[in-house]
Amino acid sequence: MQFFGGGSSLTSVPPDAGTPAPAAPPGTGTGGGPSAQVLYVFNRGGVCLLYREWHRPLRTLDPTQDQKLMFGLLFSLRSFTSKIDPTTAEKGNLGVPLLPGQGCSFYSFKTNTYKLNFLESPSGIKLILITHPRTGDQRDTLKHIYNLYVEYVVKNPLYAPGTPIK
Amino acid sequence: MRYSTPRPSNSVRHRIRFPVDLPRSLRLSTPVSSSSPAACADLHTPRAAFCFRRILAGRLFIINKSGGLIYYKDYGSAGRTDTNDSLRLASLWHSMHAISQQLSPTPGCEGIDLLQAHNFDLHCFQSLTGTKFFAVCETGAQNIEVLLKVIYELYTDFVLKNPFYEMEMPIRCELFDLNLAQVLQKDRVALLGR
């Protein structure tokens, strides 16, 4: 079963397809297409499982610092959005770690130079895809990447959970 | 007349008006056809009425260049946010805005201007001096950038030109409150009357 397999394109994998690869959502290239610039995958504890970059002219920090900063930003943004959410009355305290799926989360933010797309799975896996600011909604792409992770990483018997994906 | 309260004379207003020719840093990523004078005229169009109604579901924050909350208004969100929490949220936003500039893959980043959450959208506008205006509104609300610029214009007119206002301090300007409320109220009336 796929966690995010709500979309018809994701669940309609023909049984005789041979490979268990989830079908890509329409209009998606392999892993985000040419507009994707950077991809991060974090686990629940903040370990960076995967880092890929396709277009990154500016580097202000070394990779580990950069990954820590990114995880910290997402952590704070999560607690910020769940606290500032105007539609729910009971919100708890600011800064208390939230469980995956608890409170109001966010799926993207946009600056003038990039757009960050974010997906958190129920098990706490965080997928971050940085794209060009003009790209549209990338939620389906992230679900597709998550399904690829489930198929080829989680189901790989040689993979030790919590270690970088090789 | 847009406002019943006294306003600066036309000539002065015209000179200090929100610059029509915006510097690059202030330009919107999606071109908005109306810059300032048009933005004011836009208040009377149904689209602007729509966006004003939308902000009524959320909150409005103004923070100074060091992250201190100088203005906060709640437009009917569920639950109550106490003063300390609104201060914390404001300074948290300030720091996340700064961190997002650090993480940019390409140079020239100016910080977050739209945050899309599952239950709301957060639009942020940063002025050249570092004052940030951000509004929490319903998802998919349009033209909030224009609205924030109108609020910025009210801020320059009624806060910065107030001789008793100290820079970077909380805004306690009657005229600003009055005009902000009037703009929102007028639009709500216009919306209900239609």
Side-chain angles (χ1 to χ4, degrees), chain A residues 18-74:
Chain A
T19 57
T28 313
T30 48
S35 70
Q37 297 178 337
V38 187
L39 172 72
Y40 297 85
V41 178
F42 289 104
N43 76 356
R44 192 169 45 181
V47 178
C48 186
L49 302 180
L50 183 73
Y51 174 79
R52 285 277 186 284
E53 63 182 42
W54 292 276
H55 174 70
R56 186 162 191 176
L58 178 71
R59 277 186 191 76
T60 45
L61 299 164
D62 62 283
T64 33
Q65 291 297 318
D66 180 69
Q67 287 156 11
K68 278 184 191 170
L69 194 63
M70 176 58 80
F71 188 79
L73 175 69
L74 295 170

Side-chain angles (χ1 to χ4, degrees), chain B residues 69-84:
Chain B
L69 185 65
I70 57 174
Y71 193 80
Y72 172 67
K73 202 90 178 163
D74 194 327
Y75 297 101
S77 53
R80 238 186 111 263
T81 307
D82 69 6
T83 321
N84 285 333

